């Protein structure tokens, strides 16, 4: 049984790794593609990029609970494969886009089908023992990290052949990943652990109301919402910020994101397996959120390009918080509600991706235009630090009475 569990986690790790590489290759070239289609400046492109993320997020907000409920009914495998196929179609739309409108169509398709990471979370919950869930959730972060070592570096290289080439490569990787999963990935949800699909629970409000039965989950969900909004200070602005402030090329952006990948993979794939058992889930959450906040402040006031690399260290060390949060929340619900939990969390991520990109890209665009009262590209990072500190306070209040297992 132990060997089967390890093999299943290995399968999901490789699937997510390929998926993340496909996502990572497009990041360095997306600003150039938007500028090509609009003829605008970097600041204007960042605002369009924010609306693209908004389109993806609002559709995913609606569909994530539906896919979570379907995975509880029919299993994780078909939902995961459908998600990978949808991403492949999305990247084809992006690669061939003659106008900005096509970019939005592609993002909407991806939002409908984008359940790969939430379904992977439910998959890992299915095959993990309660005491190992937090560490195994770290495998999602490790796959994300390694994908960001390879993906953005590859994207920066491919971008030299044109801003559309990386999108074609991403499409190929996603479709190959779907094919790989079709032949290799086993089903994780046993028939006796499945539940009937209910429309009243397959919507963002219904899934959250059902989770309201678990007070610890509600408090931590609110904490996560703040973290996810804050994260868009980096996620939605990294390429625009480094181009504006340090005049980085697509190759340098790709290299920096590869550095992010190395650090995230190290933290999520290795360090949390030492820190969480040693310090417990609660303290891991507290330290992780504090380090996130410090990282945001350092990014905001960086004056040299090399500082962005150095300041990645405390920021990425903050990644110990995520698996610990997921581990605690997953331990609160039964096996036949893991898909619903992960779907609800994905829906919340999408909700924050409706707010976060618009908030952070508009802040960046405002403080980099000629009409701004002060030129300060780091404004979104300071907002991120503030929101993360609020998240830390809320998590501490929620977990006051929670006993954190160390093993």
């Amino acid at each position: 049984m132990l060997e089967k569990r390890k093999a299943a986690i290995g399968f999901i790790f490789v699937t997510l790794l390929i998926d993340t590489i496909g996502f990572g290759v497009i990041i360095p070239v997306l600003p150039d593609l938007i500028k090509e289609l609009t003829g605008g400046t970097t600041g204007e492109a960042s605002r369009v990029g924010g609306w693209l993320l908004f389109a993806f997020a609002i559709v995913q907000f609606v569909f994530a609970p539906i896919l979570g409920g379907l995975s509880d009914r029919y299993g994780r495998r078909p939902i995961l494969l459908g998600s990978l196929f949808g991403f492949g179609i999305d990247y084809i739309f992006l690669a061939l886009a003659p106008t900005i409108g096509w970019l939005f169509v592609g993002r909407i398709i991806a939002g409908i089908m984008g359940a790969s990471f939430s379904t992977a979370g439910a998959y890992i919950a299915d095959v993990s023992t309660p005491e190992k869930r937090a560490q195994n959730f770290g495998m999602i972060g490790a796959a994300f990290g390694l994908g960001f070592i390879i993906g953005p570096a590859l994207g920066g290289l491919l971008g030299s052949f044109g801003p559309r080439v990386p999108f074609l490569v991403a499409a190929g990787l996603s479709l190959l990943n779907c094919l790989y999963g079709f032949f290799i990935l086993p089903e994780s949800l046993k028939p006796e652990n499945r539940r009937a699909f209910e429309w009243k629970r397959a919507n963002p409000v219904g899934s959250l109301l059902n989770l309201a039965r678990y007070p610890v989950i509600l408090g931590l969900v609110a904490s996560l919402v703040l973290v996810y909004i804050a994260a868009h200070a980096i996620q939605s602005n990294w390429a625009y910020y480094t181009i504006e402030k340090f005049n980085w090329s697509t190759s340098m952006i790709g290299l920096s994101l590869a550095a992010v990948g190395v650090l995230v993979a190290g933290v999520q794939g290795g360090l949390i397996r030492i820190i969480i058992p040693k310090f417990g889930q609660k303290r891991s959450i507290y330290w992780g959120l504090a380090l996130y906040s410090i990282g945001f402040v350092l990014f905001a006031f960086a004056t040299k390009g090399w500082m962005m690399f150095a300041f990645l260290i405390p920021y990425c060390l903050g990644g110990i918080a995520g698996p610990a949060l997921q581990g605690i929340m997953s331990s609160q619900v039964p096996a036949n509600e893991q898909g619903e939990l992960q779907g609800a969390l994905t829906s919340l991520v999408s909700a924050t991706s409706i707010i976060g990109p618009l908030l952070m890209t508009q802040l960046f665009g405002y403080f980099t235009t000629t009409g701004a009262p002060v030129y300060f590209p780091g404004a979104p990072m300071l907002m991120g630090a503030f929101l993360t500190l609020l998240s830390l306070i809320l998590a501490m209040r929620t977990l006051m009475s929670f006993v954190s297992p160390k093993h």
Side-chain angles (χ1 to χ4, degrees), residues 19 67 78-88 110 113-117 119:
D19 196 24
L67 294 175
I79 305 304
L80 186 58
L81 295 180
S83 171
L84 298 176
F85 182 78
F87 271 118
M113 302 299 294
S116 56
F117 276 82
T119 309

Side-chain angles (χ1 to χ4, degrees), residues 15 63 69 92 109 148 188 204 208 296 334 342 364 372:
T15 299
F63 279 87
I92 291 173
I109 293 172
F148 261 72
S188 64
L208 288 174
F296 279 125
Q342 298 301 327
F364 175 80

Side-chain angles (χ1 to χ4, degrees), residues 208-271:
L208 288 174
L209 287 176
N210 189 57
L211 293 176
R213 295 175 295 157
Y214 310 104
V216 171
I217 289 181
L218 273 189
L220 294 183
V221 159
S223 180
L224 270 178
V225 165
L226 293 173
V227 171
Y228 286 140
I229 294 174
H232 280 284
I234 303 298
Q235 294 173 12
S236 300
N237 279 318
W238 184 266
Y240 305 107
Y241 180 76
T242 53
I243 290 171
E244 176 72 22
K245 195 165 184 178
F246 306 113
N247 197 30
W248 278 7
S249 65
T250 56
S251 297
M252 182 58 75
I253 294 169
L255 182 63
S256 68
L257 292 173
V260 172
V262 170
L263 291 168
V264 169
V267 171
Q268 303 281 330
L271 192 60

Side-chain angles (χ1 to χ4, degrees), residues 15-27:
T15 299
L16 290 178
L17 173 62
I18 298 173
D19 196 24
T20 308
I21 291 172
F23 176 74
V25 298
I26 73 172
I27 293 177

Side-chain angles (χ1 to χ4, degrees), residues 72-145:
D72 280 340
R73 173 65 182 89
Y74 298 105
R76 318 303 183 197
R77 187 174 182 273
I79 305 304
L80 186 58
L81 295 180
S83 171
L84 298 176
F85 182 78
F87 271 118
I89 299 301
D90 165 47
Y91 292 135
I92 291 173
F93 266 88
L94 298 180
L96 301 177
T99 65
I100 282 291
W102 277 52
L103 296 186
F104 281 93
V105 171
R107 291 284 77 192
I108 288 169
I109 293 172
I112 293 171
M113 302 299 294
S116 56
F117 276 82
S118 63
T119 309
Y123 193 108
I124 287 174
D126 292 339
V127 300
S128 301
T129 57
E131 64 272 14
K132 290 292 183 181
R133 274 184 184 153
Q135 293 96 312
N136 287 340
F137 276 128
M139 296 301 292
I140 297 177
F144 183 86

